[in-house]
């Protein structure tokens, strides 16, 4: 057998005994963030794949150590820019656990509501951008139309369109504006009434189904091996969701509304179907939270904090079911006003490692379909 060598090829071909190394990136197919894929090709087939990360690394975990417990919320907010509210939650839950602090009931239900609205906003971006990566331009316009409607209510309550900065240790920044719940309910109903566009326009499209069915099959064993979570893991039949299996916020009381969507196929189509059905369920959860908030008597939305907030010496781990998967926060305190260490376990970092397993054996033409179905944000990888 003729020994093979690797050659990075620019223009022209190579000998039959030479594999070609192809660099994809550093960029994302939708250009939101920079990821590099180093592919080794045998003709049109990928034989080896290596995700190369770090192009957006900002040292957030080191900066956590130099910011106090109010300031670190801003740093945690930004790594997954499509899930800002959910990112804040993990930090404040970890600090509240260290303090042994009980959050007012009104804040608990409002946090749950805003987390689910943020989940819908995240998923709508991928529901629109994934078909775009496969050549379908129309869904992205519908996705942004629906995102605008929900972003209006999120902006009204927090003042921010993407980086809400609304969570605080002990609750939320302030109470909901007068009449906001009515406007939020109308926005949720409006988005729900138009979600069939994605069911019919995308899932009903034979080209989309042809490009995604049976492509990029991720086995449950690989899900466990790489720590993959969220809709990607559930698309491979891994039935795990922290909102149900280790409830936090008000999810323990929403068991009759919460549905954990799974598929067995593990392909690109299954991952998209999980994302779409999870969006429908998030809208239902938002309605349930609005109903509960309407029943609550007026009360505080946060706890009064000392001027200088210090967590007691010790360590804790808080994790949340973020839109893209499991986010974990390992907090170590030495009793100071800043964390001694705050380690962030982001969903996208683990999810993208599975490309090492997914891409070998597939065609270059299917690479974009597989990459897009991993639903990652590069800032969430690099932190």
């Amino acid at each position: 057998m003729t020994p093979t060598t690797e050659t990075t090829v620019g223009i022209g071909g190579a000998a039959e005994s030479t594999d070609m190394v192809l660099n994809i990136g550093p960029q994302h197919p939708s250009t939101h963030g920079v990821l590099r894929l180093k592919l080794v090709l045998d003709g049109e087939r990928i034989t080896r794949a290596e995700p190369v990360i770090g192009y957006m690394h900002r040292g957030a975990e080191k900066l956590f150590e130099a910011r106090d417990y109010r300031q670190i919320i801003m740093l945690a907010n930004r790594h997954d820019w499509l899930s800002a509210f959910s990112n804040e939650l993990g930090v404040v839950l970890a600090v509240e656990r260290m303090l042994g602090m009980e959050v007012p009931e009104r804040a608990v239900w409002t946090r749950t509501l805003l987390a689910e609205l943020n989940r819908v906003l995240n998923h709508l971006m991928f529901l629109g951008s994934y078909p775009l990566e496969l050549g379908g331009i129309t869904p992205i316009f519908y996705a942004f139309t629906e995102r605008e409607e929900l972003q209006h209510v999120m902006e009204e309550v927090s003042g921010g369109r993407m980086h809400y900065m609304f969570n605080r240790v002990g609750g939320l920044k302030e109470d909901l504006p007068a009449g906001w719940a009515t406007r939020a309910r109308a926005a949720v109903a409006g988005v729900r009434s138009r979600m069939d566009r994605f069911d019919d326009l995308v899932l009903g499209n034979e080209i989309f189904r042809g490009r995604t069915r049976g492509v990029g099959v991720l086995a449950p064993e690989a899900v466990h091996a790489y720590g993959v979570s969220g809709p990607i893991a559930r698309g491979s039949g891994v039935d795990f969701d922290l909102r149900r299996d280790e409830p936090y916020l008000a999810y323990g009381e929403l068991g009759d509304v919460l549905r954990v969507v799974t598929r067995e196929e593990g392909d690109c189509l299954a991952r998209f179907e999980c994302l779409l059905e999870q969006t429908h369920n998030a809208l239902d959860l938002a309605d349930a939270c609005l109903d509960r908030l309407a029943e609550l008597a007026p009360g505080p939305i946060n706890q009064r904090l000392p001027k200088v907030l210090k967590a007691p010496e010790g360590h804790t781990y808080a994790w949340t079911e973020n839109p893209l998967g499991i986010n974990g926060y390992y907090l170590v305190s030495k009793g100071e006003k800043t964390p001694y260490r705050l380690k962030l376990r982001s969903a996208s970092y683990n999810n993208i490692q599975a490309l090492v397993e997914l891409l070998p054996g597939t065609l270059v033409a299917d690479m974009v379909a597989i990459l897009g179905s991993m639903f990652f944000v590069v800032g969430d990888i690099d932190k």
Side-chain angles (χ1 to χ4, degrees):
M1 183 176 178
T2 307
T4 59
T5 57
E6 289 185 7
T7 305
T8 302
V9 179
I11 299 173
E16 287 184 6
S17 60
T18 304
D19 289 331
M20 182 171 76
V21 178
L22 180 66
N23 281 297
I24 306 294
Q27 67 180 26
H28 185 278
S30 292
T31 71
H32 50 263
V34 280
L35 172 74
R36 174 184 165 209
L37 283 179
K38 183 181 177 183
L39 307 178
V40 178
L41 305 181
D42 180 9
E44 288 291 310
R45 198 165 293 279
I46 299 169
T47 59
R48 193 161 74 248
E50 178 190 353
V52 183
I53 64 172
Y55 292 94
M56 285 191 67
H57 182 62
R58 291 158 291 170
E61 290 181 345
K62 193 64 182 174
L63 290 172
F64 285 147
E65 301 169 17
R67 303 290 189 274
D68 67 35
Y69 287 106
R70 291 179 174 90
Q71 295 169 328
I72 60 173
I73 298 172
M74 180 276 293
L75 292 169
N77 174 292
R78 284 159 167 71
H79 57 89
D80 173 2
W81 46 78
L82 296 177
S83 310
F85 186 87
S86 302
N87 297 341
E88 300 167 14
L89 267 177
V91 170
V92 296
L93 289 174
V95 179
E96 287 162 4
R97 183 176 296 177
M98 290 284 284
L99 293 167
M101 180 180 289
E102 189 171 336
V103 177
E105 186 179 14
R106 188 169 184 79
V108 171
W109 281 97
T110 305
R111 280 177 173 179
T112 311
L113 165 62
L114 296 176
E116 289 307 310
L117 291 178
N118 194 197
R119 192 180 308 277
V120 177
L121 282 168
N122 174 287
H123 290 356
L124 280 171
M125 175 62 80
F126 291 105
L127 292 174
S129 66
Y130 185 40
L132 180 66
E133 291 161 11
L134 298 180
I137 193 170
T138 308
I140 194 73
F141 297 120
Y142 288 131
F144 268 87
T145 300
E146 307 311 328
R147 277 175 54 85
E148 272 305 303
E149 188 155 353
L150 290 177
Q151 278 187 304
H152 282 317
V153 296
M154 293 293 281
E155 184 178 9
E156 182 187 356
V157 75
S158 68
R161 281 181 59 81
M162 287 187 69
H163 301 297
Y164 307 109
M165 285 302 298
F166 199 54
N167 277 288
R168 296 291 186 272
V169 176
L172 295 167
K173 176 186 172 187
E174 57 197 9
D175 209 342
L176 304 174
W180 180 86
T182 303
R183 293 186 286 278
R185 195 182 293 276
V188 169
V191 172
R192 181 188 287 109
S193 69
R194 295 183 292 271
M195 282 299 294
D196 61 346
R197 290 168 170 171
F198 298 98
D199 293 287
D200 301 336
L201 186 66
V202 183
L203 283 182
N205 186 293
E206 61 184 70
I207 299 175
F208 178 84
R209 298 183 76 87
R211 289 291 307 276
T212 56
R213 187 193 284 118
V215 174
V217 177
L218 183 63
E221 294 76 20
V223 169
H224 295 303
Y226 288 94
V228 175
S229 58
I232 302 171
R234 292 191 283 274
S236 296
V238 178
D239 188 5
F240 182 71
D241 190 312
L242 283 175
R243 296 174 296 171
R244 179 199 63 194
D245 300 324
E246 194 171 312
Y248 58 99
L249 296 181
Y251 290 114
E253 300 180 46
L254 291 168
D256 56 336
V257 183
L258 175 63
R259 263 190 322 111
V260 179
V261 182
T262 61
R263 292 288 187 276
E264 297 299 325
E265 295 81 3
D267 56 11
C268 296
L269 181 60
R271 293 190 278 274
F272 186 86
E273 288 177 342
C274 282
L275 199 75
L276 181 55
E277 283 197 38
Q278 193 167 287
T279 309
H280 284 285
N281 188 235
L283 292 168
D284 295 337
L285 288 166
D287 265 341
C289 291
L290 284 165
D291 291 340
R292 185 72 176 98
L293 280 169
E295 298 169 1
L296 290 179
I301 199 75
N302 50 38
Q303 296 275 21
R304 293 183 65 86
L305 299 176
K307 188 173 183 180
V308 178
L309 179 64
K310 294 182 179 181
E313 189 169 348
H315 60 93
T316 191
Y317 185 76
W319 56 349
T320 58
E321 186 70 40
N322 262 40
L324 297 180
I326 293 173
N327 265 27
Y329 300 83
Y330 180 55
L331 172 63
V332 181
S333 172
K334 294 290 187 181
E336 302 297 329
K337 66 177 181 179
T338 62
Y340 176 75
R341 184 80 170 90
L342 180 53
K343 168 65 181 172
L344 169 61
R345 186 265 191 218
S346 60
S348 297
Y349 181 85
N350 285 72
N351 291 354
I352 208 66
Q353 307 307 317
L355 288 172
V356 175
E357 190 103 4
L358 268 180
L359 290 177
T362 64
L363 297 172
V364 175
D366 290 329
M367 183 270 299
V368 173
I370 296 169
L371 188 60
S373 74
M374 298 308 285
F375 311 129
F376 62 89
V377 170
V378 178
D380 199 40
I381 301 171
D382 289 345
K383 304 190 287 289

